[in-house]
Amino acid sequence: MSTAHPLPPPLGPIGRIARLVAVCGLAYWGLYAAVAPVVTIDAHMYNLARLELALRDGFFNNGQFTSVFQVIFPWSFDAVHLPFLLLGWGYALPSFLCLAGTAFIVLTMVRARFGPDAGWVGVASLLALPCLVYQGAGTKNDLVILFTGAVWVYARWRWRREGGRHHVLWMVLALAFMAGSKTTGLLYGGILALWTLAEVRGHGRLFGQTAAGLLTAGLLFGSVETYVESARLYGHPLGPPPLIRRLGNPDGLRGTLANFTRHVAGGLYVGPTDFSAGQNAPNRLATVERRLLDRTGLTDAGIDPRFRDNLLFHHQSGLEELSGFGPVGTLALGLMLLAAFWWRPAAVWWRLAVAALAGLVVVSATVAYTTWGNRYLVAWYALGTVALVCALWATESPGRRAVRWLYLLLVIAMVVAGPLQSFNRHPAALLAAVRDREALETSAYPVVGELRNCLRHFVRAAPAVRIFLVVHDESVVLPLLDDRKLRVLPVRRPVLLRLAAAGRLVPGDLVATEAPDDLPGLDLIAEVSAPGVYSADWTITQYVYRVTGRLAPASPGAPPPAPPRP
Amino acid sequence: MKAADLIRRVRRAAGEPRNLPYTILGALMLVSLLSRLLLILR
């Protein structure tokens, strides 16, 4: 393996501007990650909510888990957030570190091959992808898949250039953490594990050591406990079989083709969207896509059963769940599709673009389509964007240099637009993180903030009052659990009824529920409503009841359940 | 290799700029492992 490398050329004007843009962009997102509260709905439901509940009752046999997702989804990356949950700040720093680490890898590898200008334009290009930066300043587990994949690529690259078995160790560790962080990480990690073994075959003992390392690291970091508990509770290590079918592509090849066309359509950026009527270009795009699906007999193939193609719409809304990859993403997608028809295996950009396209196909084949599924594509759009930069620097000519400047202008526009167009990651949110933190925290689901304020009002009059929060799999619970002054006990409705039948609910207890409850013995004392942020017509209401008497007759033969521990 | 030597080597390697991705990944994994152990053993 060669260890002698020529010195890179000096940074040119385009590289200096790109570096300034990249540094400013990273500084902004780093600051946001440091100060923002948890704003992601999924984190409020399960990613981070389960940490709070596990602090109360452990992981195994936890009677307070509110959602099946808290049990079945791997949690190695979610667990990283525990110190920040206890601290109350810096929740998004783990994802930001993944973003920064990925940026470093892109800079280092692209600079080594194409020079420092390309390296810095590569970094700035990543920050021009809205979905990527929103995930990089959030608390979901999608950026970690990108980062661990990037570390694997980086370690492989260094191993091939420098030698040194420790690089193979980092390839192994990256894959173990990838597999433990997300269910799709198990698939990608498995594929890359085979590739890792193929890399070290013929290296004597290293092959055996690598295999043993993959097994050991997989056991330590692969979130094995979630599979064990899922198998125990639901009979399957991935979760309840009906749920697995719902989350995965149910229609095989038809579903793959349909999902792929939906993702391609979703990658065509025709401007920002909001929820007002009369949006022409996005509506026309959705109409064309629906007609294509209809003509090919693929309508509703591959789709999550909660959605229908007659409601298909590709959002670019600034909400982290409903944002795409902008015009830079469209260019990257175009290059991926071009690579499918233009055979250039000797070109770096071609190999990256084909890999990104293959990733898109894998997601299309494995994950049921949802409107908010763009985050599953983050790693592939990042790879495609790096391919785009490599293509721009593949050869030198006056025309090519002019195109680079035009491209950089587009990148700068999107690096600036990312925060400005964001729903709750814009510059005013930085201020809100300090001055009106709770409003920012519940900005994506305002009714839970209203409910929290309402419950605090009642708790001020009776500090020891118990609050039974009736929950289901998609209940937003973390903002309530986090408030130490509220004695919130999450329960499913059947459990609440059994507690009531056993006389475990006493007059004065409060019950908070999303659905009106006509049980005798419950007195409605408050109703809080707030608009949903996903639709202008959607209002969500929470009801608060006070227990005034016995709720329901006892069920004969049913043992009384123990009340959850606060 | 003695433990002290190993720790010294790891700290020196972690301080090299080109090893930044490894340092980040190592830190995330260490915090993850400790947090999971804490929550599982409760």
Side-chain angles (χ1 to χ4, degrees):
Chain A
M1 295 173 208
S2 168
T3 56
H5 306 286
L7 289 174
L11 195 61
I14 195 172
R16 279 196 287 273
I17 294 172
R19 181 174 63 184
L20 178 64
V21 170
V23 168
C24 290
L26 285 169
Y28 177 86
W29 292 115
L31 179 61
Y32 181 90
V35 302
V38 179
V39 301
T40 307
I41 282 194
D42 280 3
H44 288 160
M45 278 183 201
Y46 61 89
N47 288 105
L48 303 195
R50 58 178 158 181
L51 302 183
E52 182 67 43
L53 293 167
L55 274 172
R56 296 181 179 193
D57 206 18
F59 179 76
F60 292 105
N61 291 312
N62 187 316
Q64 295 198 49
F65 275 158
T66 60
S67 169
V68 62
F69 303 123
Q70 293 165 354
V71 176
I72 68 174
F73 286 154
W75 71 335
S76 291
F77 186 65
D78 292 344
V80 178
H81 297 80
L82 183 63
F84 303 100
L85 201 70
L86 297 172
L87 191 63
W89 290 87
Y91 297 95
L93 283 176
S95 284
F96 176 74
L97 286 174
C98 291
L99 175 62
T102 303
F104 180 91
I105 291 169
V106 167
L107 173 65
T108 304
M109 294 183 68
V110 173
R111 179 174 56 190
R113 181 67 176 80
F114 295 103
D117 289 352
W120 282 109
V121 171
V123 175
S125 299
L126 291 183
L127 303 180
L129 303 173
C131 183
L132 190 151
V133 288
Y134 296 163
Q135 293 300 323
T139 49
K140 283 291 298 181
N141 53 354
D142 294 278
L143 248 293
V144 68
I145 301 302
L146 168 62
F147 174 58
T148 48
V151 171
W152 184 88
V153 170
Y154 182 67
R156 175 180 174 268
W157 179 69
R158 287 192 60 185
W159 184 65
R160 287 180 153 224
R161 285 159 67 96
E162 303 165 23
R165 296 180 169 211
H166 58 288
H167 296 300
V168 179
L169 172 64
W170 285 108
M171 291 169 73
V172 167
L173 291 176
L175 297 185
F177 200 51
M178 176 191 286
S181 296
K182 196 176 182 72
T183 309
T184 49
L186 195 58
L187 171 64
Y188 302 143
I191 294 170
L192 293 178
L194 293 174
W195 191 333
T196 306
L197 291 172
E199 283 283 332
V200 299
R201 74 185 187 286
H203 282 81
R205 278 175 48 191
L206 184 59
F207 182 88
Q209 290 169 343
T210 303
L214 284 167
L215 189 63
T216 307
L219 287 171
L220 272 179
F221 299 103
S223 189
V224 171
E225 60 273 21
T226 56
Y227 300 109
V228 169
E229 189 69 346
S230 294
R232 190 182 73 83
L233 291 176
Y234 306 115
H236 193 291
L238 293 180
L243 181 60
I244 299 170
R245 283 192 292 275
R246 191 189 96 188
L247 298 175
N249 167 26
D251 297 313
L253 183 60
R254 286 183 65 246
T256 304
L257 290 172
N259 288 340
F260 185 76
T261 64
R262 293 187 191 101
H263 288 312
V264 168
L268 301 176
Y269 183 76
V270 293
T273 63
D274 55 36
F275 296 110
S276 60
Q279 288 172 329
N280 297 325
N283 282 329
R284 276 201 294 272
L285 177 63
T287 301
V288 167
E289 170 64 14
R290 277 195 291 273
R291 283 188 189 148
L292 173 67
L293 290 168
D294 184 49
R295 296 239 170 105
T296 51
L298 296 176
T299 300
D300 293 339
I303 211 164
D304 186 296
R306 292 171 294 177
F307 297 91
R308 284 290 176 264
D309 274 326
N310 62 348
L311 298 175
L312 184 68
F313 187 80
H314 300 293
H315 297 273
Q316 307 283 351
S317 66
L319 281 158
E320 73 174 275
E321 298 88 356
L322 297 177
S323 291
F325 299 92
V328 173
T330 300
L331 293 176
L333 178 66
L335 192 70
M336 291 184 227
L337 296 173
L338 178 70
F341 299 100
W342 193 15
W343 181 256
R344 296 286 303 275
V348 171
W349 71 261
W350 187 89
R351 296 197 293 271
L352 295 179
V354 164
L357 185 67
L360 229 62
V361 172
V362 168
V363 174
S364 301
T366 53
V367 182
Y369 181 84
T370 61
T371 315
W372 52 68
N374 277 332
R375 54 190 176 82
Y376 296 112
L377 309 177
V378 159
W380 311 116
Y381 268 91
L383 193 58
T385 301
V386 173
L388 184 62
V389 173
C390 293
L392 287 172
W393 263 264
T395 58
E396 291 295 327
S397 69
R400 188 66 66 106
R401 283 190 282 275
V403 169
R404 290 172 194 164
W405 278 105
L406 289 174
Y407 173 72
L408 182 63
L409 286 177
L410 181 65
V411 164
I412 292 170
M414 288 311 297
V415 171
V416 172
L420 296 180
Q421 289 181 350
S422 165
F423 174 74
N424 52 12
R425 287 162 167 76
H426 43 71
L430 291 175
L431 215 57
V434 177
R435 292 162 79 170
D436 199 359
R437 195 169 176 76
E438 290 190 342
L440 180 62
E441 180 190 20
T442 57
S443 55
Y445 200 73
V447 73
V448 75
E450 299 294 327
L451 177 63
R452 181 167 55 187
N453 290 338
C454 175
L455 293 173
R456 282 172 177 163
H457 167 75
F458 293 115
V459 165
R460 270 195 286 275
V465 68
R466 298 187 302 177
I467 302 163
F468 290 88
L469 178 67
V470 180
V471 297
H472 54 77
D473 280 338
E474 295 180 355
S475 291
V476 173
V477 295
L478 185 60
L480 299 171
L481 297 174
D482 249 357
D483 190 329
R484 305 291 177 214
K485 292 183 183 162
L486 301 179
R487 293 181 69 199
V488 175
L489 308 172
V491 291
R492 300 271 180 160
R493 184 173 163 78
V495 173
L496 179 78
L497 293 179
R498 291 205 296 272
L499 287 172
R504 300 295 178 99
L505 266 61
V506 299
D509 284 340
L510 300 182
V511 176
T513 176
E514 283 182 26
D517 209 312
D518 57 0
L519 283 174
L522 284 182
D523 187 24
L524 179 66
I525 57 174
E527 220 176 283
V528 293
S529 296
V533 296
Y534 297 101
S535 168
D537 302 322
W538 187 30
T539 299
I540 310 167
T541 303
Q542 293 271 357
Y543 303 88
V544 182
Y545 296 87
R546 178 175 283 123
V547 176
T548 56
R550 193 176 178 86
L551 290 192
S555 308
R565 282 179 274 143
Chain B
M1 182 187 302
K2 291 181 186 168
D5 287 339
L6 180 61
I7 292 170
R8 238 188 329 267
R9 281 186 68 175
V10 168
R11 287 176 72 176
R12 193 166 61 236
E16 285 183 41
R18 61 184 181 159
N19 291 334
L20 180 63
Y22 298 161
T23 303
I24 292 174
L25 179 62
L28 291 175
M29 293 178 81
L30 184 62
V31 174
S32 170
L33 187 63
L34 293 174
S35 297
R36 282 166 54 225
L37 284 172
L38 174 71
L39 295 176
I40 288 169
L41 295 175
R42 284 185 78 79

